[in-house]
Amino acid sequence: MTERISAREAIALVTDSFAELPSPGGEFPPDGPLAWKGYDDARARAAARTGEEESVVCGTATFGTASFGTTTDGRAPLGPVTAVLVAFEFGFLGGSLGERTGDRLEAAYDYARTHRLPVVSLVATGGSRMQEGMLALTQLQRVARQSALTREAGLAQIAVLRDPTTGGGWATLGAGADVTLALPGAQVAFAGSRVRPPDADPAAYTAEAQVAAGSVDALVPRDGLRETLALWLDLLTRPAAGAAPVPSALGAATDLPTTGWDAVKRARSPERPRADAYLDAYFSRRVAIGGDRCGGADEGVVCGFGHARDGRTIAYAAQRGTPTRPAGYRTAARLVRLAGRLGIPVLTLVDTPGAANDADAERQGAGAAIADLFAAIATARVPVTTLVIGEGGSGGALALAAPGNTWATPDSYFSVIAPESAAAILKRPADEVRTTAAQLRLRPQDLLDLGVIRGITHRRPGT
């Protein structure tokens, strides 16, 4: 369990300035809408203990300190960025959501849309307030609607999960955010600690478990939270104009492969630069989203947002040379759709021998995940640029490629399927694999002649 801090302490931890929004009016009847005996007294004690009138504090805040924004390595400065900030006070009746909480959250989201501001939620809640019964539970519908309207308006939502984040607060503000971060050791789960099965594994109800399950993007220690939020807000509010530029090739090869099998060997060489090298060269800063929000994550696909060298934001989805699992495709589709809502162009890097084809991949919905990524790129609201940097194996690679704007490096190939598999399908002996590779016309120059790619990118002089 992480150390618990108050809403005001959490606000001071991450912001440069904060101005509280006016609270919506309205009075409860005695002991609340259900006339729950002792509810007024409980609220009074909570107010005296915390100094707050409700379980949530809402206002506008600035993020991005001057010292953090100044760099000596040529990177563009950060911020400041203004956002609407929502901070839960767990000391006030367990940070629970009641009608007045819903009033405050609705007003905060409405302010964000009116003023075109992103929303940051510092969540610490046990869920719905028992003393208000079903009227408390229905606040989740109000919050979900406000979040959806804000998403449709193209405004970013970032959640930071403190300890604990359970119940409806997790299932709306937490899991429903575009980017979800969590403090290490925080309780994060739909089921609160008092309503779980007695034999339940406590490790399943943690931030760490949610990261592993693809439901939380990253763990961020408290001392790194201010910097991380400033970077995320800067990235999600400063999109680049136009399509992402095509990266220069990084490999040692400058000439084109002479044969199909030569192209395959180059792409499979352990010395060939991989996705992380390309991303490091392309971006001055970058952060990753993690997981597909469906219970899975794939380390073979890295997705996120980064500052291009001019300081503007470009989204990226890159394969790392391994067979891509269903969670990888779903995470990439999530990235493309999020970038589309925020108006951020996308760069994809293709490098996979193909989609994972084991039994687990089929059980995890490989076909549906690939179809979803094809659809996301086909309907993308922003330009998508693709560079094939290694192996381009079958539909598992093509799903990440932009129609009409795909490029290739000299040490790459793109094929309907790997030559070995093509030979097997055609019932050819193993000694005909090289001949098959030539017939597939998978070399970069073949792809250009066929109109599959727009061009071949080469190494920039001096790199």
Side-chain angles (χ1 to χ4, degrees), residues 170 209-216 290-298 326-328 330-331 334 364:
W170 162 232
Q210 298 294 350
V211 170
S215 297
V216 168
D292 62 1
R293 296 298 188 265
C294 298
D298 179 6
R330 284 191 286 260
T331 303
R334 175 190 161 210
Q364 293 159 10

Side-chain angles (χ1 to χ4, degrees), residues 269-294:
S269 169
E271 284 76 37
R272 175 182 56 79
R274 266 36 183 195
D276 290 278
Y278 276 91
L279 296 175
D280 288 344
Y282 195 83
F283 294 111
S284 59
R285 301 183 187 92
R286 59 186 173 96
V287 291
I289 64 171
D292 62 1
R293 296 298 188 265
C294 298

Side-chain angles (χ1 to χ4, degrees), residues 70-323:
T70 302
T71 65
T72 59
D73 57 4
R75 300 185 300 181
L78 291 179
V81 176
T82 301
V84 166
L85 179 65
V86 171
F88 279 76
E89 175 53 70
F90 188 75
F92 193 101
L93 301 180
S96 55
L97 283 80
E99 280 193 288
R100 294 296 170 259
T101 320
D103 291 341
R104 291 191 175 201
L105 292 171
E106 187 173 64
Y109 270 95
D110 182 69
Y111 187 94
R113 292 192 299 275
T114 300
H115 294 83
R116 302 295 302 168
L117 298 175
V119 178
V120 176
S121 300
L122 309 178
V123 188
T125 173
S128 300
R129 192 168 299 171
M130 298 300 101
Q131 296 92 334
E132 296 185 27
M134 276 301 298
L135 293 177
L137 189 65
T138 58
Q139 301 311 302
L140 304 183
Q141 295 172 319
R142 292 179 73 187
V143 173
R145 182 174 186 273
Q146 293 303 314
S147 178
L149 291 173
T150 303
R151 186 178 300 111
E152 290 177 0
L155 301 170
Q157 299 174 71
I158 302 175
V160 177
L161 312 181
R162 298 150 55 208
D163 185 62
T165 298
T166 60
W170 162 232
T172 52
L173 290 170
D178 297 317
V179 176
T180 306
L181 310 173
L183 294 175
Q187 295 180 69
V188 180
F190 185 66
S193 59
R194 298 182 182 180
V195 295
R196 298 169 191 163
D199 58 348
D201 178 8
Y205 301 83
T206 62
E208 287 78 1
Q210 298 294 350
V211 170
S215 297
V216 168
D217 291 297
L219 299 174
V220 182
R222 185 182 299 181
D223 59 5
L225 198 52
R226 174 188 286 263
E227 179 177 326
T228 299
L229 274 177
L231 178 55
W232 268 111
L233 284 166
D234 190 90
L235 286 166
L236 297 185
T237 58
R238 304 184 194 279
V246 182
S248 299
L250 298 180
T254 56
D255 59 327
L256 294 174
T258 56
T259 68
W261 189 244
D262 183 29
V264 173
K265 288 194 299 181
R266 285 188 183 191
R268 293 176 179 175
S269 169
E271 284 76 37
R272 175 182 56 79
R274 266 36 183 195
D276 290 278
Y278 276 91
L279 296 175
D280 288 344
Y282 195 83
F283 294 111
S284 59
R285 301 183 187 92
R286 59 186 173 96
V287 291
I289 64 171
D292 62 1
R293 296 298 188 265
C294 298
D298 179 6
E299 293 184 356
V301 176
V302 58
C303 301
F305 297 85
H307 281 137
R309 294 298 166 177
D310 64 357
R312 308 299 281 180
T313 302
I314 292 173
Y316 62 86
Q319 292 167 318
R320 284 172 154 166
T322 59

Side-chain angles (χ1 to χ4, degrees), residues 263-417:
V264 173
K265 288 194 299 181
R266 285 188 183 191
R268 293 176 179 175
S269 169
E271 284 76 37
R272 175 182 56 79
R274 266 36 183 195
D276 290 278
Y278 276 91
L279 296 175
D280 288 344
Y282 195 83
F283 294 111
S284 59
R285 301 183 187 92
R286 59 186 173 96
V287 291
I289 64 171
D292 62 1
R293 296 298 188 265
C294 298
D298 179 6
E299 293 184 356
V301 176
V302 58
C303 301
F305 297 85
H307 281 137
R309 294 298 166 177
D310 64 357
R312 308 299 281 180
T313 302
I314 292 173
Y316 62 86
Q319 292 167 318
R320 284 172 154 166
T322 59
T324 302
R325 306 203 64 79
Y329 293 114
R330 284 191 286 260
T331 303
R334 175 190 161 210
L335 181 281
V336 171
R337 292 190 174 106
L338 173 56
R341 290 198 303 271
L342 301 179
I344 299 171
V346 178
L347 170 69
T348 66
L349 302 179
V350 169
D351 186 10
T352 180
N357 57 7
D358 55 82
D360 282 343
E362 293 299 334
R363 294 188 188 100
Q364 293 159 10
I370 294 170
D372 188 46
L373 180 54
F374 269 122
I377 289 183
T379 60
R381 303 180 188 178
V382 291
V384 180
T385 302
T386 298
L387 180 63
V388 185
I389 63 171
E391 291 194 81
S394 194
L398 188 65
L400 208 64
N405 196 25
T406 292
W407 303 69
T409 64
D411 48 4
S412 68
Y413 79 86
F414 217 148
S415 177
V416 63
I417 200 167

